[in-house]
Amino acid sequence: MDVYEKIMALARRRGILYKSYAIYGGEAGFYDYGPIGSIMKNNIENEWRNFYIIKERFYEISTPSITPYDVLKASGHVDEFIDKIATCKKCGRSFKVEELKDGKCPICGGDVEHGEMNLMFETYIGAKKKDKAFLRPETAQGIFVDFPFLYEFFRKKIPFGVVQIGKGFRNEVSPRQGVLRLREFSMAEAEIFFHPENKRHENFEEYKDRKLRLLPAGMDEMEMRLEEAVKRGIIGNEALAYYMALTHEFLTKVGIDENKIRFRQHEKDELAHYANDCWDAEIFMQRFGWVECVGIADRAAHDLMAHMKATGVNMYASGEKKVKRKKIKPKMDKIGKEFKAKAMKVKESLEKGVVKNGKVEIELDGEKIELDEQFFEVEEVEEQEKYIPHVIEPSYGIDRIFYAVLEHNYKEMKKEGENYVVLSIPPSIAAIKAGVFPLVAKDGLPEIAKEIEAELRKNRIMAFYDEKGSIGRRYARMDEIGTPFCITVDYQTKDDDTVTIRFRDTTEQIRIERNAIVKWIEERIK
RNA sequence: GCGGGCGUGAUCUAGCUGGUUAGGAUAUGAGCCUUCCAAGCUCAAUGCCCGGGUUCGAAUCCCGGCGCCCGCACCA
């Protein structure tokens, strides 16, 4: 049994993960988070919120999973998200259509069968199934289409960021590897809008000396200070570098092993249809090697531009600078006389035209004509600079991070010949913060322990009371789900109102005053 | 999607040359015991992935489906 199998067995046994629809035989690509797993996942997501909402001052929104056809047509997903697959009838191999040689199998020359795969789940809106729609492949589009409102909300100040945590859906060809490749998965995405020429981050200073393990496209792995990486153009801009550092900090905070994180830049031909540049945070997992868990992409103006083109809605932001511009003012009295009914068309083309040698060339009904200065005058105007903001997008696969947290904190040891499992996750991520036990279930000890458990819960601390079995067994159960502390009420408690607190990772115990418990725990689970 | 292997209580597994009370271990629940690390004793619940076929009779043989694992392909 490798670690993966051990972890999935533990997850199953302790209510962390279940295979979905198991009683119907299961469905590939879907997993349930059980009672303990759900809390842990929420804790990870809340830690993420702590970074992006509290620290970065962004806001979270929540938009629908079902997305109308037009939106994803505009974003490019309808066309780009299709994989055209050809399968050879002779040797059975599958290829991308571009790989075929003269329409035949590139390996054996056999005839091929064409198939198409769009990775989006299709659905319909309304009873008549008239309007085609998709389950969103990413949460990002919901943010982009709200840009005009959000820009207003942030009082037209750029940069600003908006985040969303939610489900994304991709109809994977063959999902395997448990929770690492799901058809329905949780993602946490931040869309940060920048001026195209100013992708700096005001807090870059904080991370500029941090060294990250980098794997730039076409280069060897290196470890480099972020400031230097930006200066040397290895990382395209400060904002990308900043969010790489933030990602690194977040991952280690939730319990990922720092030595198992690296940042790999996408090769040009590997980039998504919407991305200019992209760095993945990859996490090392024993069975699967380096796995992409976070993508930090520079999406440039791709999405806002696409939605503006499709809807005509203005996606411009106005800059602080004023720009001087030469503006062509058509002379309508002349144009009207000359072009009659076509005058409006001429005016429109002329306004968009460029002056060359005192003339402007325009196209009228497919015909090129030149207009000289009797039809227009040139005026110098001062306008507010306007631009379509660029987007930097850190996008986190929560389920993959969740699994990595389990794996990196799974500790197995021998205890009197038996395998003993401890999940050494950070206390902030643990589902249950404290187990509360009477040393033995008699002589009034259970009553005291129950009071302590209730008091912890009153203070919003997830505590768990247990009096069954031997004390060792109760500790062991808590260790397996990563409960960092166990509080035990013993006979001395009746004398002096103290309890023992036992540490998960060392099994050491200390004794503290009963009335100090809540504060003591609170301080250690942040 | 292609090829190969596999599928027995919650978990690991015995049984698999067809014969019926499907066995064990661990875990779980109840009780007893227990003054700090999965101790012990008693009892209990949970199973042959699903469907079809062959047969007097299928966990066992055959076919299909689903799932899992490995390789190929795919993975914005």
Side-chain angles (χ1 to χ4, degrees), chain A residues 4 7-8 179-180 285 399-407:
Chain A
Y4 170 81
I7 285 167
M8 294 313 275
V179 98
L180 296 192
M285 302 179 198
D399 312 277
R400 290 180 170 189
I401 293 168
F402 184 93
Y403 172 78
V405 168
L406 294 184
E407 185 180 303

Side-chain angles (χ1 to χ4, degrees), chain A residues 243-296:
Chain A
Y243 289 106
M244 286 161 69
L246 200 70
T247 294
H248 183 264
E249 187 160 297
F250 166 75
L251 291 175
T252 51
K253 187 83 189 282
V254 298
I256 302 293
D257 183 344
E258 186 179 15
N259 299 313
K260 294 179 178 170
I261 302 172
R262 71 176 189 191
F263 290 84
R264 190 178 67 82
Q265 186 178 31
H266 282 209
E267 304 286 342
K268 278 279 169 284
D269 60 0
E270 171 188 9
L271 287 168
H273 66 269
Y274 52 69
N276 252 5
D277 191 4
C278 184
W279 285 84
D280 283 345
E282 296 185 326
I283 299 178
F284 188 80
M285 302 179 198
Q286 256 191 42
R287 185 170 187 159
F288 309 109
W290 290 100
V291 176
E292 165 197 352
C293 292
V294 182
I296 303 163

Side-chain angles (χ1 to χ4, degrees), chain A residues 247-464:
Chain A
T247 294
H248 183 264
E249 187 160 297
F250 166 75
L251 291 175
T252 51
K253 187 83 189 282
V254 298
I256 302 293
D257 183 344
E258 186 179 15
N259 299 313
K260 294 179 178 170
I261 302 172
R262 71 176 189 191
F263 290 84
R264 190 178 67 82
Q265 186 178 31
H266 282 209
E267 304 286 342
K268 278 279 169 284
D269 60 0
E270 171 188 9
L271 287 168
H273 66 269
Y274 52 69
N276 252 5
D277 191 4
C278 184
W279 285 84
D280 283 345
E282 296 185 326
I283 299 178
F284 188 80
M285 302 179 198
Q286 256 191 42
R287 185 170 187 159
F288 309 109
W290 290 100
V291 176
E292 165 197 352
C293 292
V294 182
I296 303 163
D298 186 341
R299 300 178 71 132
H302 175 275
D303 300 278
L304 293 182
M305 195 108 82
H307 292 304
M308 184 163 84
K309 220 168 142 188
T311 61
V313 172
N314 179 19
M315 296 282 183
Y316 285 109
S318 46
E320 285 158 20
K321 288 185 282 190
K322 298 245 166 132
V323 280
K324 281 187 185 164
R325 193 167 75 89
K326 284 184 179 159
K327 195 176 170 185
I328 298 168
K329 274 185 84 176
K331 293 181 182 171
M332 288 315 288
D333 52 341
K334 296 279 176 11
I335 292 171
K337 272 182 198 160
E338 182 80 21
F339 294 96
K340 313 280 182 199
K342 292 176 184 170
M344 273 317 280
K345 278 187 180 173
V346 173
K347 172 188 176 255
E348 281 167 16
S349 319
L350 193 54
E351 281 172 339
K352 288 180 203 156
V354 189
V355 185
K356 250 188 209 162
N357 305 324
K359 291 180 179 178
V360 177
E361 189 183 271
I362 64 165
E363 220 180 87
L364 190 62
D365 297 334
E367 204 180 320
K368 283 187 180 168
I369 51 175
E370 279 193 338
L371 300 176
D372 61 28
E373 290 201 19
Q374 61 166 312
F375 294 106
F376 63 88
E377 56 192 345
V378 176
E379 196 181 15
E380 187 149 294
V381 289
E382 209 179 46
E383 286 181 334
Q384 198 77 12
E385 174 207 23
K386 62 176 189 177
Y387 59 90
I388 297 175
H390 278 204
V391 171
I392 303 286
E393 175 201 69
S395 169
Y396 294 62
I398 297 294
D399 312 277
R400 290 180 170 189
I401 293 168
F402 184 93
Y403 172 78
V405 168
L406 294 184
E407 185 180 303
H408 290 188
N409 294 286
Y410 180 90
K411 306 266 158 65
E412 198 175 69
M413 45 201 105
K414 289 276 179 208
K415 224 176 191 177
E416 291 171 24
E418 288 278 312
N419 275 343
Y420 194 90
V421 171
V422 177
L423 210 55
S424 275
I425 50 178
S428 59
I429 303 305
I432 294 170
K433 310 301 186 191
V436 186
F437 314 138
L439 183 58
V440 289
K442 61 181 183 188
D443 301 331
L445 268 39
E447 287 71 14
I448 301 172
K450 279 179 190 165
E451 278 172 27
I452 292 172
E453 191 243 22
E455 203 191 334
L456 284 164
R457 285 188 177 242
K458 243 180 243 159
N459 285 280
R460 302 188 184 193
I461 295 168
M462 193 66 182
F464 180 77

